[in-house]
Amino acid sequence: MDGKIVVRDIKKKFVSGKTSLPVVGGVSLVVEDGEFVAIVGPSGCGKSTLMKIISGFERPDEGSIHIDGKAARGPSPKGIVISQHGSVFPWLTVQQNLMFGLNGDQHGDKAALADHHAAMVGLKGFENSYPRELSGGMLKRVEIARALVVKPEILFMDEPFSALDALMNLRMRTELLRILEEERHTVILITHDVEEAIYLADRIMVLSPRPTVIQATFSVPHPHPRRLSSPALQQLKEDILAELGL
Ligand SMILES: Nc1ncnc2c1ncn2[C@@H]1O[C@H](COP(=O)(O)OP(=O)(O)OP(=O)(O)O)[C@@H](O)[C@H]1O
């Protein structure tokens, strides 16, 4: 079976008493090794549910997920989730947070590795700070460094920058691209921000309203850094917004 991540005909409904809410209506997709796929869709269409299923934190009613050809029946050790809800421990310093996931002896000097990743996201000099001493943007960067330090093959990102102000959001996009150039990861990004998707992704999937299916797929074969004001990318934005009924 080809593809780093192969998602086959995923369906999911939530049942509560006599009511049943169909959320994912049959989604199939293949993500290649090293590819960056963004998923956009209308509010409440089931984006987060789909991400939880693909990352192994929610069971689908039907369908399958294969990672590197193997059926995935829970969270894959090859992947890590970065979501809008922070997962940084408030009682640990930046360095301790970054060292937290480094179990086993194969990581060498863990403190040095943590400091390298802190520097990578622009937090050099803040290794010994506690989360309460950092701004929202810095916290987000700790979170991203914390995900990257364990060198995951796959990054599952669910609206990772949505809690940030506009400027920090733009900065984090650029930062993420720089990091991905240094260390190639396979990425699935959920976002409601079409420009963010166009700026970052190799391919963009547009989801339909609930129960969601993939309504359209767009390739973004443009080199980085991308200028969102270029006619081609403006046209792409219009095409995607039209798919979203906007
Ligand atoms: N665990 C759950 N139990 C019951 N219903 C749920 C559960 N999780 C999600 N839902 C429902 O499924 C639908 C889709 O939710 P989901 O969070 O996946 O959408 P989304 O596209 O990520 O939303 P948003 O754009 O607002 O972030 C919503 O109507 C939500 O109420």
Side-chain angles (χ1 to χ4, degrees):
M1 195 177 305
D2 284 345
K4 181 83 181 166
I5 306 169
V6 178
V7 175
R8 277 223 190 111
D9 206 17
I10 292 292
K11 293 184 183 157
K12 177 80 182 177
K13 54 178 176 296
F14 290 110
V15 180
S16 165
K18 281 185 189 153
T19 57
S20 162
L21 184 74
V23 173
V24 183
V27 167
S28 300
L29 71 111
V30 176
V31 182
E32 301 298 340
D33 193 15
E35 195 182 13
F36 192 134
V37 169
I39 297 177
V40 298
S43 183
C45 74
K47 297 184 289 297
S48 292
T49 303
L50 182 62
M51 185 63 121
K52 282 184 202 151
I53 293 172
I54 298 174
S55 57
F57 286 89
E58 183 99 57
R59 294 286 304 153
D61 297 332
E62 289 176 45
S64 65
I65 292 119
H66 286 75
I67 294 182
D68 286 333
K70 277 203 185 134
R73 297 202 174 78
S76 165
K78 296 182 177 182
I80 201 149
V81 177
I82 305 177
S83 73
Q84 49 193 317
H85 316 291
S87 61
V88 170
F89 296 122
W91 59 88
L92 299 180
T93 64
V94 168
Q95 189 197 57
Q96 289 165 340
N97 262 291
L98 296 189
M99 285 166 65
F100 188 82
L102 300 174
N103 302 313
D105 295 329
Q106 75 276 28
H107 299 290
D109 184 345
K110 293 180 187 176
L113 195 61
D115 290 352
H116 169 77
H117 280 76
M120 201 161 83
V121 296
L123 289 172
K124 196 170 171 54
F126 291 92
E127 295 85 352
N128 297 316
S129 301
Y130 284 90
R132 63 174 180 277
E133 300 169 314
L134 306 177
S135 71
M138 291 161 95
L139 266 182
K140 202 77 235 177
R141 282 184 275 157
V142 176
E143 189 134 338
I144 290 174
R146 197 164 170 250
L148 294 172
V149 75
V150 294
K151 301 217 179 300
E153 293 176 30
I154 305 166
L155 281 173
F156 299 105
M157 307 181 95
D158 187 355
E159 304 264 11
F161 311 138
S162 66
L164 300 176
D165 64 56
L167 274 181
M168 186 48 75
N169 186 318
L170 292 180
R171 186 157 170 215
M172 287 309 303
R173 288 181 197 175
T174 313
E175 197 111 36
L176 178 64
L177 283 179
R178 192 181 54 72
I179 292 166
L180 289 178
E181 226 162 71
E182 243 174 68
E183 304 177 2
R184 197 66 205 165
H185 302 268
T186 304
V187 184
I188 301 184
L189 168 78
I190 301 269
T191 180
H192 63 266
D193 185 333
V194 172
E195 285 197 347
E196 184 176 295
I198 293 174
Y199 192 73
L200 293 169
D202 301 318
R203 206 148 46 103
I204 301 173
M205 313 275 190
V206 180
L207 295 182
S208 73
R210 197 168 42 76
T212 204
V213 294
I214 294 174
Q215 184 177 309
T217 301
F218 295 88
S219 290
V220 196
H222 302 71
H224 295 287
R226 292 177 180 161
R227 207 162 43 85
L228 289 169
S229 58
S230 75
L233 294 184
Q234 279 297 314
Q235 184 59 51
L236 179 62
K237 182 180 169 187
E238 275 178 33
D239 294 346
I240 294 173
L241 289 176
E243 281 295 336
L244 291 166
L246 297 167

